[in-house]
Amino acid sequence: MFMHRNSPAGRRSVWARRSTRRRLRSVLWVLPKPRTRAAWASWADDLYNLRSELAHDQVWRAQAEGADAPVMVLPVGDPAVPLGKRAAEPRGLSEASRRRRALADQVANSLADQPTIDPWRAGTDVLAQQVLPARLGDDPAMRQPFVDAAAVVERGGPGVLRVVPGDGGVVLRVHGPSWSLVFRVSPIVNAIVVFLDATSRYGWRVEDDTESRELIQEAVTRVVAEAARYGWGGDKYARPVAPVA
């Protein structure tokens, strides 16, 4: 039904809308709003941190009680899992294995520090020069890391799993007996690199491979789940030991 604004009902409607706007405007001005762009950024950061801490605490409690949690907590900053420092290398490694493991750690650091969705276009020298495109079907040996990675992380051991946080997100690095697997899980899973002793001077970034997509997705999911067992609420979580006074 059309209502002319000059009619009694129309005037009441216009008056009601104006009155509501005045009340809302007065309430908004009373609230302590930031006045500058820097203040707005600081306010937003504080709000985000408060919400993150609350969500993190809720997830930890749910996991500790054995309940299903909406997210998994990765062991970023956990002393039980190596972060910045490389763990001691196992004895008896071949020169190719040492080179392969060192390159995998280099690439993991570069991916963690590369704040872009496509790290290959504007990446560091190690990403541009020593990581080449490949498909899993090109070499049967490239499929083995995706088959074994979750079991290797589950068995554990010095230096097997490394969690690398940085401006570009969070990267997981897994060392196997003759291979290494590196992939970035945050903000999204978008960089997956395989390293082999047979080609220890180069890493192979996995391109979109329709035939192997299910294998890749399952491997990444299982590795993340095993890594989360070292995080808060996980059954392998090691609480930091309080220093002796």
Side-chain angles (χ1 to χ4, degrees):
M1 180 180 67
F2 177 75
M3 180 171 56
H4 196 276
R5 65 181 299 172
N6 290 326
S7 66
R11 286 195 295 271
R12 285 196 298 271
S13 176
V14 172
W15 177 86
R17 290 198 298 271
R18 288 177 178 173
S19 178
T20 301
R21 290 197 196 100
R22 291 193 192 98
R23 288 197 298 270
L24 290 176
R25 192 179 297 117
S26 64
V27 170
L28 292 176
W29 280 111
V30 169
L31 294 177
K33 297 194 327 184
R35 300 298 185 190
T36 65
R37 184 172 297 178
W40 267 111
S42 177
W43 176 81
D45 287 343
D46 291 342
L47 182 62
Y48 175 81
N49 290 335
L50 288 174
R51 289 175 175 172
S52 297
E53 290 176 2
L54 178 61
H56 195 263
D57 185 65
Q58 290 174 342
V59 169
W60 179 81
R61 291 180 184 277
Q63 287 184 334
E65 295 171 357
D68 291 335
V71 298
M72 290 180 288
V73 180
L74 290 174
V76 176
D78 193 310
V81 181
L83 290 169
K85 296 181 179 180
R86 291 178 58 192
E89 297 282 5
R91 294 180 179 180
L93 288 177
S94 66
E95 184 61 31
S97 292
R98 292 182 184 277
R99 189 163 48 238
R100 177 258 303 172
R101 292 164 71 98
L103 180 58
D105 278 310
Q106 275 187 286
V107 170
N109 292 337
S110 298
L111 287 177
D113 293 333
Q114 186 67 28
T116 177
I117 296 299
D118 186 358
W120 315 121
R121 293 188 178 184
T124 60
D125 289 343
V126 68
L127 292 180
Q129 300 174 10
Q130 293 180 270
V131 177
L132 307 177
R135 292 178 177 272
L136 295 191
D138 296 345
D139 184 353
M142 293 184 64
R143 298 178 61 88
Q144 202 61 37
F146 296 91
V147 176
D148 296 342
V152 168
V153 177
E154 182 181 11
R155 288 194 298 268
V160 166
L161 171 66
R162 185 164 171 248
V163 182
V164 191
D167 293 338
V170 177
V171 176
L172 296 185
R173 189 272 293 141
V174 181
H175 280 330
S178 61
W179 53 263
S180 296
L181 179 62
V182 172
F183 58 90
R184 186 164 62 178
V185 296
S186 172
I188 58 175
V189 179
N190 70 325
I192 302 175
V193 189
V194 177
F195 304 84
L196 305 172
D197 279 357
T199 54
S200 58
R201 298 185 185 278
Y202 299 95
W204 304 98
R205 73 173 190 260
V206 178
E207 299 290 330
D208 186 13
D209 192 340
T210 303
E211 296 180 359
S212 305
R213 185 175 300 169
E214 186 175 345
L215 173 65
I216 295 171
Q217 291 176 345
E218 182 181 1
V220 169
T221 301
R222 292 179 59 199
V223 169
V224 170
E226 289 297 332
R229 296 177 66 184
Y230 293 94
W232 280 8
D235 61 314
K236 293 184 178 182
Y237 175 68
R239 291 184 178 276
V241 179
V244 179

